[in-house]
Amino acid sequence: MPATDSPFTAAYARLTAVYPGLTVTEPDPARALPEGGDWIAAAGLAEGGDELDAFLAWDEAQVLRDYGRRARPDVVASFGLHRYAWPACLLITAPWFLRRRVPRLPVTAVSYDRSAGRMAVRPASFACLPGDPAAALPGAVVVPDEEALRAEVRAAVAEHLEPVLEAFGPRMRRRGRALWGMATDEIVEGLWYVAHLLGADEERRAVRELELLLPGATRPYAGSAAFRVLTGPDGEPLATRDRASCCMFYTVRPEDTCATCPRTRDSDRITEFSATAAA
């Protein structure tokens, strides 16, 4: 059962309106976050035991079903982390981008139903700017300016992802900078994609905001937002970026690379982006 409107209700509703693949709910405080069935607690993933095993078994089966071949265990773990971290980052970046409010969501505050594209959250507190009507609400932490709010975004994502990365890391055979490079990519590419769905103006704004959020020297993150501009066939600017990490998809389909993979040539990116725009 949902609670009454919270400081994040409008942002999460708008997120779902443009991206129906993710629905975010805030259960009534009197009730526990959902668990059991298809629901998995983020804290369970962070423990790295049976719940993580079950989570990754889904990815292993999906690769075999869709591509007719098995993926290496480290590749399966990389896919699994992406499929959790991409929506998990949006729990924080979407309300920041849309409403200038940053929820704190430790792993104990999030449950995920991947099969239905649902996440249930219970923010521990949130940051906002002076003058925000939500500043008077319980749990509000008022910060002085936009840069301070960006620092809250970075801290909130790191707080949530750090225990998750620690659990996934050994299975992915990655650690340190390589793991935080993946976190950097999930932050950037998730919000960039959603902003694209919101329209061209919002996509351009998201590029600017993400460049300020991740300028390249913001530990523990590895690398910057890394946007750059290509020129399309008709002279139009096409935003692209180079990933800080590798998603490892090429190990399953060697002929395919992501549009933002450093292995992908700019000419191929232009072709793909132009085809997407035409569609």
Side-chain angles (χ1 to χ4, degrees):
M1 294 177 62
T4 56
D5 284 359
S6 82
F8 311 106
T9 302
Y12 290 148
R14 191 174 181 198
L15 170 62
T16 300
V18 296
Y19 180 59
L22 178 60
T23 300
V24 184
T25 58
E26 297 174 77
D28 189 290
R31 293 175 175 266
L33 289 174
E35 58 183 344
D38 291 326
W39 286 99
I40 187 167
L45 294 179
E47 290 173 359
D50 292 344
E51 289 187 72
L52 181 54
D53 289 338
F55 188 81
L56 295 180
W58 188 97
D59 294 282
E60 183 176 27
Q62 178 269 322
V63 171
L64 184 60
R65 181 184 67 247
D66 291 354
Y67 304 112
R69 59 183 299 178
R70 292 190 180 277
R72 298 190 324 239
D74 60 311
V75 174
V76 169
S78 295
F79 289 1
L81 176 63
H82 164 67
R83 287 163 176 159
Y84 176 76
W86 194 91
C89 287
L90 284 169
L91 297 176
I92 296 166
T93 59
W96 164 66
F97 181 71
L98 295 171
R99 304 286 292 190
R100 285 307 192 251
R101 296 169 185 169
V102 181
R104 283 293 185 125
L105 292 167
V107 289
T108 54
V110 177
S111 289
Y112 183 33
D113 175 2
R114 175 165 58 180
S115 64
R118 298 184 295 175
M119 301 189 93
V121 301
R122 180 162 293 138
S125 63
F126 68 97
C128 62
L129 294 169
D132 186 327
L137 294 176
V141 177
V142 180
V143 298
D145 53 32
E146 292 282 0
E147 179 50 39
L149 198 63
R150 286 190 285 270
E152 290 287 335
V153 176
R154 294 189 288 264
V157 174
E159 177 187 31
H160 184 83
L161 284 187
E162 184 171 20
V164 177
L165 295 178
E166 289 178 355
F168 275 85
R171 297 169 186 252
M172 296 164 57
R173 298 193 296 184
R174 301 190 199 186
R175 58 183 179 181
R177 182 176 176 82
L179 289 172
W180 286 104
M182 291 193 72
T184 301
D185 290 331
E186 303 301 352
I187 292 170
V188 175
E189 298 200 352
L191 185 59
W192 185 28
Y193 177 76
V194 169
H196 165 75
L197 299 177
L198 290 165
D201 289 344
E202 289 293 76
E203 183 177 4
R204 285 189 288 269
R205 183 168 75 89
V207 169
R208 294 193 299 270
E209 297 277 11
L210 287 164
E211 288 175 329
L212 292 170
L213 179 69
L214 295 167
T218 49
R219 292 185 177 182
Y221 302 102
S224 66
F227 285 106
R228 54 193 181 90
V229 178
L230 304 176
T231 302
D234 297 320
E236 71 277 19
L238 298 173
T240 188
R241 69 178 298 265
D242 293 318
R243 289 177 58 89
S245 68
C246 181
C247 70
M248 307 296 285
F249 185 67
Y250 78 94
T251 64
V252 176
R253 292 279 293 272
E255 68 276 17
D256 288 342
T257 57
C258 302
T260 53
C261 177
R263 294 181 178 87
T264 304
R265 296 177 300 180
D266 283 353
S267 58
D268 293 332
R269 297 183 191 215
I270 290 169
T271 299
E272 181 171 342
F273 293 152
S274 299
T276 301

